[in-house]
């Protein structure tokens, strides 16, 4: 059975629906082949999670202003760094090998920002799981879900793909070495560079 909530959330994350787009219950039901009741419930849930906001009687995909982005990256840096420290302590050899394989495979995606963005999300999700802390994983899921409201990926910036992959490699090295402090530093630097890149993109766009 199709889950209306997951279908709509995935559509937002993939950019099918972008910040400012209006979501119409009947259109969503037809697009996803589900009845209107689960769509209505999914929209209510997404509104509660601040993924959607009211515009009169309509619901539109929320957008993040500069201050919200700054707050989001601050929280993300702290949580990702904690995930890195815990992964360095608890990751199994198999999990470390999967992370290393991801970095190797993602090098082939260079030049395609959207593919790299999906690969980046998988890479970070794997670190979250390797932390072996379910409550941290839940909080990071919330952060990454909110990041879907950003209109474009920072990996679209020229040269960012190469540097991001190099940062990923350093993160994996620290986790493989069971060096929690190094993993913490590497992840903080990685998130800081992503935020700096996004600031430059926003400045170039004039908004």
């Amino acid at each position: 059975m199709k889950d209306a909530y997951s279908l709509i959330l995935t559509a937002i994350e993939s950019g099918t629906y972008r910040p400012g787009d209006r979501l119409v219950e009947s259109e969503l039901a037809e697009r996803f082949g589900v009845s209107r009741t689960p769509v209505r419930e999914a929209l209510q849930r997404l509104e509660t999670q601040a993924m959607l906001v009211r515009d009169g009687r309509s619901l539109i995909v929320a957008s993040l202003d500069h201050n919200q982005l700054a707050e989001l990256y601050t929280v993300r840096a702290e949580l990702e760094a904690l995930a890195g420290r815990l992964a360095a302590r608890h990751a199994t050899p198999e999990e470390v090998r999967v992370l290393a394989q991801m970095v190797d495979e993602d090098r082939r995606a260079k030049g395609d920002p959207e593919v790299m963005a999906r690969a980046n999300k998988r890479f970070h999700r794997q670190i979250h799981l390797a932390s072996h802390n379910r409550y941290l994983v839940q909080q990071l899921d919330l952060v990454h879900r909110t990041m879907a409201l950003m209109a474009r990926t920072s990996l679209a910036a020229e040269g960012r793909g190469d540097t991001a992959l190099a940062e990923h490699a350093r993160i994996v090295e620290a986790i493989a070495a069971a060096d929690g402090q190094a993993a913490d530093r590497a992840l903080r630097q990685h998130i800081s560079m992503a935020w700096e890149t996004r600031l430059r993109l926003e400045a170039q766009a004039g908004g």
Side-chain angles (χ1 to χ4, degrees):
M1 182 178 174
K2 294 179 180 177
D3 175 20
Y5 171 82
S6 297
L7 290 167
I8 298 169
L9 182 60
T10 299
I12 294 171
E13 289 176 336
S14 67
T16 301
Y17 297 114
R18 295 183 175 273
D21 285 351
R22 197 175 309 278
L23 297 187
V24 179
E25 188 180 300
S26 57
E27 292 175 2
L28 291 167
E30 184 176 350
R31 171 190 276 265
F32 296 124
V34 295
S35 64
R36 292 179 64 161
T37 299
V39 169
R40 186 179 308 122
E41 291 170 353
L43 292 176
Q44 290 170 349
R45 183 176 170 189
L46 287 163
E47 183 183 10
T48 301
Q49 294 172 342
M51 295 292 289
L52 304 177
V53 293
R54 289 271 166 196
D55 181 22
R57 296 183 64 182
S58 302
L59 281 170
I60 62 172
V61 180
S63 56
L64 300 173
D65 62 25
H66 177 82
N67 288 337
Q68 288 172 308
L69 281 172
E71 292 165 8
L72 184 62
Y73 271 95
T74 296
V75 170
R76 187 185 174 199
E78 294 297 328
L79 294 179
E80 295 274 9
L82 175 56
R85 289 201 308 275
L86 292 176
R89 189 184 308 163
H90 299 300
T92 65
E94 294 83 1
E95 286 172 323
V96 174
R97 283 198 295 272
V98 167
L99 283 168
Q101 288 165 5
M102 283 181 168
V103 174
D104 288 338
E105 290 168 3
D106 294 347
R107 289 193 174 98
R108 294 197 288 272
K110 284 193 303 184
D112 189 331
E114 297 306 321
V115 173
M116 286 200 69
R118 290 194 294 273
N120 182 65
K121 184 177 178 181
R122 285 195 299 271
F123 175 80
H124 282 277
R125 173 71 176 172
Q126 188 60 38
I127 293 173
H128 306 164
L129 294 173
S131 75
H132 293 271
N133 186 303
R134 73 193 70 181
Y135 301 106
L136 178 57
V137 171
Q138 287 173 0
Q139 294 306 309
L140 280 161
D141 280 350
L142 174 60
V143 168
H144 279 262
R145 188 166 63 229
T146 305
M147 287 180 68
L149 299 176
M150 294 187 286
R152 52 185 171 165
T153 172
S154 61
L155 292 166
E158 186 176 352
R160 178 58 190 154
D162 287 319
T163 55
L165 282 171
E167 291 159 13
H168 282 186
R170 283 195 290 274
I171 292 165
V172 175
E173 287 171 9
I175 292 172
D179 189 336
Q181 287 187 326
D184 181 298
R185 284 194 305 272
L187 273 151
R188 286 181 188 278
Q189 181 185 27
H190 179 54
I191 304 305
S192 175
M193 287 300 296
W195 175 222
E196 185 178 323
T197 302
R198 184 164 296 284
L199 285 172
R200 285 202 303 272
L201 286 173
E202 296 297 321
Q204 289 166 7

